[in-house]
Amino acid sequence: MVATTTGRAVGPVATPVRAARTRRRAQAPALSGIRGRSATSRFASFLLATAWLVVVLAPVYYMVLTSLRSPAQYLTANPWVPTGGLTWSSYTSMFHGSGIGTSLRNSAELAAGTIALVTVLSLGAAYRIVRRGSRFGAVSFRLILFGIAVPIQAIVIPLYFVTSELHIYDRLYGLVFVTGASLVPVAVLLMVNYVRLIPRELYDAMAVDGAGQWATFRRLVVPMARPVLAVVTIYSGLGAWNNFLLPLILTQSNNDIVLPLGLYRFGTNSQYGINVPVVMAFVFFTMAPVLLLYIGLRRQFVKGIGGFALR
Amino acid sequence: MATATEVLGTYEPGRPRRDARTAKRRVLLADLVGISPALALYAVFIVVPTVFALFLSFTDWNLIGRIRWVGLANWDRFLTDPVAHHSLLVTFELAGLSWLAQTPLAMALGIFVAGTQRYRAIYAAIYLVPLLLSTAGLSLMWQSFLFPQFGGLAWLGTHLHLEFLNQNWLGSPNLALFTVVVIIAWQFVPFHTLIFQAGRRSIPGELYDAATVDGVNTWQSFWHVTLPQLRYSIVTSSTLVLVGSLTYFDVIYILTLGGPGDTTRVLAMDMYNVGFTETQFGYASVLASVLGALGILLSIGLVRFTGFGTMEGGREGIW
């Protein structure tokens, strides 16, 4: 649609991505040229990189393998080799008495609510900020950017106060609002950096077609922003799914417990003695959905995780 | 020309001006509709609490009673509080050690995975795995990994006769802070690796071509081309390491609660104890304000230096 109105086949979003790819390809000879200079330094960096690979994988491997042990095997078997009997029993027994069902549902709701809130609000804001229609946009943008600098740890006490006053303390949707607000600054910056790459001619073409601000947003900005929407979805979804501090401060009852908090309580409550394989199963269980998404959407994850630091 | 304007003027007096004004008003309305929701959410839950944290530091709010103004009493207490001073010291130690552990390593790894070979992309993909885990999850994972006697590391120590691995990593006053630094580095080095990867990839290849023509060796090209070209990445990464570790809370809360003794009790942990355990929210707000000031000043310095805030900033990373 965009291409026909302007008569130019400008891939909206493909443009920056493609540019980056071309640049990378263009650099390839230079990179390999330098690398080729010294076999020693190449080998040293390979060694370091491989050592770090081992450091990254060792605890994760240990966690997965331990989660497949029975409590007795945990004490006796070699924790590094998958021999000596493996069992799924931890993955079934973790559903008993851990409250995992409730926390799973709550975490899913928290993530979905936060994603919806953050993507919608930040795209709307980014569109108006980029259009530079009024001073309001510029001032708001500066103010919102300031939020990147505010460490959440420094404001948990007033957040506790504010949510209590608004009667959203210990409510899942209250947690959605606060988590969303904490993610809005970076989300807006990501959106602005992307939406500003939409060529001016496309807006002009929309105006010639008689489209108003809303129609331009719906028919031009939203479709073109799809890749950055994916990135912000991952950024905010991950931020909500893995957040520990805000649920710790802002929720209390077991009805509102989310996975990281449930995991923490389950893993550190030594009342019955800690069953390590079951705790490891719980850890892997909370990681698994993220891992699956990561395998499918690696590019978007990189940008979503990198956030504003990858300008 | 003039006649035409006059004719138009007589037929529709004032119309162009009113049009312009309506259009302007429409734009403003669209701006308000588009930006206000995000701004309001942000203002209520970030800006107001930031200001309010400072306000509470001048009160003696303890959750139950009324909020009463006490002037500088809490700040006076902070100036003479050995517990807070120790926390501040541990916080700076954690920040300094984290920087040493994370930034050089992330730079080396980032430059490595910026290369074009296929296996480096696979390395890069695996490097990100720690960022997929929640802090609660990875803390519990490390806890059992490091568990004395039964943990994975202790098993290696016993069976491979590497006795130095048999330590009470999180329970020993001499080791706990280092262990926490390692766990935090494990969690965040991948993030900083991304920064350096993007930074290395945005260095124009011509610079290396020129260096090759000049006959420099690998080390010289790193020192004279890569390092200066990575200055934005270095500043970004360093600032984020420092801000992140000055305000760090999660792993410490989950694994050590500031112990053993007070060896890992950082400022954020102290604030949590004073506030949510002892319900002295006034004094806890002093600690929170110090925390916030450290973070905000460093971050603003970063924004100034890199020009993140300007929309035209031409630096591109992975996009």
Side-chain angles (χ1 to χ4, degrees):
Chain A
M1 178 213 82
V2 160
T4 45
T5 42
T6 54
R8 268 173 59 191
V10 183
V13 223
T15 319
V17 175
R18 203 178 299 148
R21 273 193 206 138
T22 324
R23 198 172 53 236
R24 210 167 300 155
R25 217 173 294 137
Q27 271 175 30
L31 272 169
S32 52
I34 280 294
R35 300 262 161 219
R37 295 187 64 87
S38 154
T40 336
S41 79
R42 200 172 43 182
F43 185 65
S45 60
F46 172 77
L47 221 55
L48 176 73
T50 307
W52 182 252
L53 200 68
V54 172
V55 172
V56 165
L57 286 179
V60 178
Y61 172 77
Y62 173 81
M63 165 186 77
V64 175
L65 193 54
T66 303
S67 75
L68 295 169
R69 301 286 192 191
S70 71
Q73 288 163 347
Y74 164 70
L75 295 177
T76 54
N78 178 342
W80 291 104
V81 188
T83 53
L86 298 177
T87 166
W88 289 104
S89 65
S90 295
Y91 286 89
T92 48
S93 62
M94 76 180 172
F95 284 96
H96 304 296
S98 66
I100 200 172
T102 315
S103 51
L104 181 63
R105 198 178 56 240
N106 285 338
S107 269
E109 282 176 21
L110 172 66
T114 307
I115 289 170
L117 189 68
V118 171
T119 49
V120 170
L121 295 195
S122 60
L123 184 59
Y127 163 53
R128 295 317 303 171
I129 288 166
V130 167
R131 293 303 287 155
R132 302 186 190 200
S134 64
R135 272 192 59 73
F136 178 67
V139 173
S140 309
F141 186 47
R142 291 196 78 91
L143 189 63
I144 289 174
L145 281 184
F146 170 74
I148 295 176
V150 176
I152 286 297
Q153 291 88 333
I155 60 171
V156 287
I157 292 167
L159 275 176
Y160 176 70
F161 181 84
V162 168
T163 49
S164 302
E165 289 295 305
L166 296 175
H167 303 290
I168 56 173
Y169 172 75
D170 203 18
R171 298 270 187 282
L172 203 56
Y173 62 87
L175 195 54
V176 168
F177 285 138
V178 180
T179 310
S182 74
L183 300 169
V184 153
V186 170
V188 168
L189 182 59
L190 285 172
M191 294 276 196
V192 163
N193 279 339
Y194 199 84
V195 172
R196 74 189 165 91
L197 299 173
I198 298 175
R200 177 185 288 271
E201 298 88 66
L202 297 187
Y203 289 109
D204 296 345
M206 292 297 291
V208 169
D209 287 355
Q213 313 284 3
W214 169 246
T216 308
F217 178 65
R218 209 167 43 85
R219 286 174 24 217
L220 174 70
V221 177
V222 173
M224 282 200 161
R226 217 170 282 152
V228 78
L229 278 171
V231 169
V232 171
T233 296
I234 287 165
Y235 168 73
S236 49
L238 215 52
W241 182 264
N242 284 342
N243 199 329
F244 177 76
L245 180 62
L246 289 175
L248 177 73
I249 304 286
L250 300 178
T251 64
Q252 193 173 31
S253 65
N254 280 330
N255 286 331
D256 294 317
I257 199 166
V258 291
L259 277 174
L261 207 53
L263 185 56
Y264 162 70
R265 298 222 174 114
F266 183 67
T268 54
N269 180 357
S270 50
Q271 201 178 348
Y272 309 103
I274 293 169
N275 184 335
V276 175
V278 177
V279 175
M280 292 302 101
F282 198 156
V283 173
F284 187 64
F285 179 76
T286 61
M287 181 197 184
V290 186
L291 191 63
L292 285 176
L293 281 173
Y294 174 62
I295 291 168
L297 302 165
R298 203 167 58 78
R299 199 170 266 280
Q300 288 81 354
F301 261 81
V302 166
K303 290 169 192 157
I305 289 171
F308 74 101
L310 299 180
R311 179 63 188 276
Chain B
M1 225 9 216
T3 348
T5 319
E6 273 170 23
V7 169
L8 279 174
T10 32
Y11 280 122
E12 291 174 318
R15 199 182 154 214
R17 272 189 67 199
R18 201 191 306 146
D19 252 11
R21 212 183 303 150
T22 331
K24 220 173 170 182
R25 217 173 283 160
R26 277 210 181 139
V27 167
L28 182 63
L29 183 71
D31 281 6
L32 287 171
V33 171
I35 300 171
S36 296
L39 191 64
L41 185 75
Y42 163 74
V44 170
F45 294 111
I46 304 293
V47 178
V48 168
T50 306
V51 177
F52 202 61
L54 195 60
F55 165 76
L56 280 176
S57 74
F58 298 104
T59 72
D60 68 348
W61 185 43
N62 62 359
L63 202 59
I64 304 146
R66 298 182 69 86
I67 298 181
R68 208 160 44 103
W69 185 266
V70 294
L72 288 168
N74 292 321
W75 288 88
D76 278 344
R77 179 178 161 191
F78 174 69
L79 291 179
T80 55
D81 180 5
V83 175
H85 294 171
H86 187 269
S87 304
L88 214 49
L89 182 71
V90 175
T91 306
F92 287 129
E93 276 175 14
L94 181 79
L97 289 171
S98 291
W99 186 84
L100 283 176
Q102 291 182 35
T103 302
L105 178 61
M107 192 195 301
L109 296 171
I111 292 171
F112 180 82
V113 291
T116 45
Q117 291 100 317
R118 182 89 189 112
Y119 82 94
R120 296 190 190 217
I122 296 167
Y123 272 49
I126 296 173
Y127 283 172
L128 279 197
V129 165
L131 293 170
L132 308 177
L133 273 157
S134 68
T135 310
L138 75 89
S139 299
L140 293 172
M141 178 188 81
W142 274 95
Q143 187 175 40
S144 57
F145 182 68
L146 297 174
F147 203 71
Q149 280 190 303
F150 298 110
L153 207 58
W155 191 94
L156 288 179
T158 308
H159 290 80
L160 303 179
H161 304 290
L162 302 167
E163 292 308 326
F164 68 95
L165 292 177
N166 281 323
Q167 306 278 354
N168 192 355
W169 294 103
L170 285 159
S172 151
N174 297 324
L175 290 172
L177 186 63
F178 291 98
T179 308
V180 167
V181 167
V182 169
I183 296 174
I184 297 175
W186 189 85
Q187 182 178 15
F188 288 110
V189 161
F191 172 78
H192 297 282
T193 303
L194 283 180
I195 295 177
F196 284 109
Q197 181 188 21
R200 173 62 186 85
R201 280 189 176 160
S202 64
I203 302 176
E206 295 81 36
L207 293 181
Y208 291 99
D209 297 342
T212 314
V213 171
D214 287 348
V216 302
N217 62 32
T218 311
W219 173 248
Q220 285 167 324
S221 87
F222 170 75
W223 193 252
H224 295 292
V225 180
T226 311
L227 209 54
Q229 289 291 316
L230 283 179
R231 62 189 180 279
Y232 283 103
S233 307
I234 294 169
V235 173
T236 305
S237 163
S238 303
T239 312
L240 294 175
V241 170
L242 292 178
V243 172
S245 43
L246 285 174
T247 58
Y248 207 79
F249 176 76
D250 297 14
V251 164
I252 293 173
Y253 177 81
I254 295 168
L255 289 184
T256 69
L257 281 170
D262 55 8
T263 47
T264 60
R265 197 192 54 221
V266 290
L267 200 57
M269 191 65 230
D270 198 19
M271 178 204 76
Y272 182 89
N273 283 341
V274 173
F276 292 94
T277 314
E278 300 166 15
T279 66
Q280 302 179 34
F281 284 105
Y283 183 52
S285 296
V286 171
L287 305 175
S289 301
V290 173
L291 208 64
L294 287 172
I296 290 170
L297 291 178
L298 274 170
S299 304
I300 287 178
L302 174 67
V303 172
R304 278 279 152 80
F305 181 80
T306 57
F308 271 139
T310 57
M311 292 218 285
E312 279 75 24
R315 266 174 27 83
E316 277 188 86
I318 276 195
W319 282 121

